[in-house]
């Protein structure tokens, strides 16, 4: 009978020690310094590491596409705008298209071999680049930028997304 009593007291002591250690372990997260008992505190992870940060001040319109698809879309829209002079697309795409088209016309106004090669690397149609380099210097001689115009139109019927027409001035 004494043996059972000894076992019960030993179990009670062990349980008491475990509860004390568990409470110290939980409290360690709130203590500013290390515990004096030698129990290591859990590593404090950076709370911002799991969050997606906001894009403050980022100028590039991502258009909901990965970088390679966005670049291909802008290249094809630039080619078609230079070819036809006016295209209808979503308003966000039209506003994103202004910069590359203005850059291609600026390259055409420069007219150097390096500028021609840069335009050939971006625009898909070689003959279109040659025609642009022939016509752009006299057409846009008095203009220093702002070669395109974006006009809002009615929203698209299927999904009500804002539409616009981008055209060369």
């Amino acid at each position: 009978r004494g043996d059972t009593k000894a076992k019960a007291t030993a179990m009670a002591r062990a349980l008491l020690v475990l509860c004390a250690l568990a409470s110290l372990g939980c409290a360690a997260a709130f203590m500013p310094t290390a515990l004096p008992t030698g129990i290591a505190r859990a590593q404090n992870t950076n709370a911002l590491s799991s969050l997606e940060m906001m894009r403050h001040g980022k100028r590039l319109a991502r258009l909901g596409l990965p970088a390679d698809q966005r670049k291909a879309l802008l290249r094809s829209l630039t080619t078609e705008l230079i070819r036809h002079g006016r295209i209808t697309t979503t308003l966000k795409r039209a506003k994103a298209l202004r910069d590359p088209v203005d850059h291609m016309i600026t390259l055409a106004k420069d007219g150097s071999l390096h500028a021609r090669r840069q335009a050939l690397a971006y625009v898909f149609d070689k003959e279109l680049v040659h025609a642009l380099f022939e016509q752009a210097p006299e057409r846009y001689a008095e203009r220093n930028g702002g070669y395109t115009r974006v006009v809002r139109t009615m929203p698209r019927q299927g999904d009500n997304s804002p539409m616009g027409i981008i055209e060369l001035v």
Side-chain angles (χ1 to χ4, degrees):
R1 186 162 202 230
D3 190 30
T4 345
K5 191 173 185 179
K7 281 184 183 179
T9 56
M11 292 278 288
R13 282 185 191 155
L15 187 60
L16 184 65
V17 169
L18 282 175
C19 288
L21 287 176
S23 67
L24 283 176
C26 292
F30 301 106
M31 292 184 179
T33 59
L35 292 174
T37 59
I39 299 173
R41 193 169 67 172
Q43 287 287 345
N44 185 12
T45 59
N46 188 357
L48 297 178
S49 63
S50 64
L51 298 176
E52 184 176 334
M53 301 302 291
M54 295 183 75
R55 300 180 66 240
H56 292 293
K58 304 295 187 257
R59 190 161 171 359
L60 179 69
R62 295 196 296 187
L63 302 176
L65 295 172
D68 58 340
Q69 295 176 17
R70 180 173 55 248
K71 183 179 178 185
L73 174 74
L74 290 176
R75 286 179 67 189
S76 64
L77 286 175
T78 301
T79 303
E80 294 307 311
L81 179 60
I82 293 172
R83 177 177 289 129
H84 298 291
R86 166 189 284 200
I87 58 173
T88 301
T89 183
T90 63
L91 195 61
K92 294 281 186 183
R93 288 179 183 179
K95 288 183 177 182
L97 187 59
R98 289 183 293 193
D99 285 340
V101 171
D102 283 357
H103 184 61
M104 290 302 116
I105 294 175
T106 304
L107 289 175
K109 282 176 65 175
D110 179 22
S112 65
L113 179 62
H114 180 64
R116 186 178 293 262
R117 286 180 176 164
Q118 283 181 317
L120 284 169
Y122 194 80
V123 176
F124 289 125
D125 192 358
K126 185 177 180 179
E127 289 79 22
L128 187 64
V129 171
H130 294 314
L132 178 68
F133 271 68
E134 289 172 6
Q135 296 170 5
E138 62 266 6
R139 182 174 175 182
Y140 299 108
E142 72 282 351
R143 242 179 218 280
N144 294 323
Y147 307 114
T148 57
R149 176 186 303 127
V150 176
V151 180
R152 291 174 181 261
T153 60
M154 295 299 292
R156 187 162 50 196
Q157 197 150 27
D159 57 358
N160 204 29
S161 64
M163 298 296 286
I165 295 174
I166 183 167
E167 58 189 2
L168 295 175
V169 176

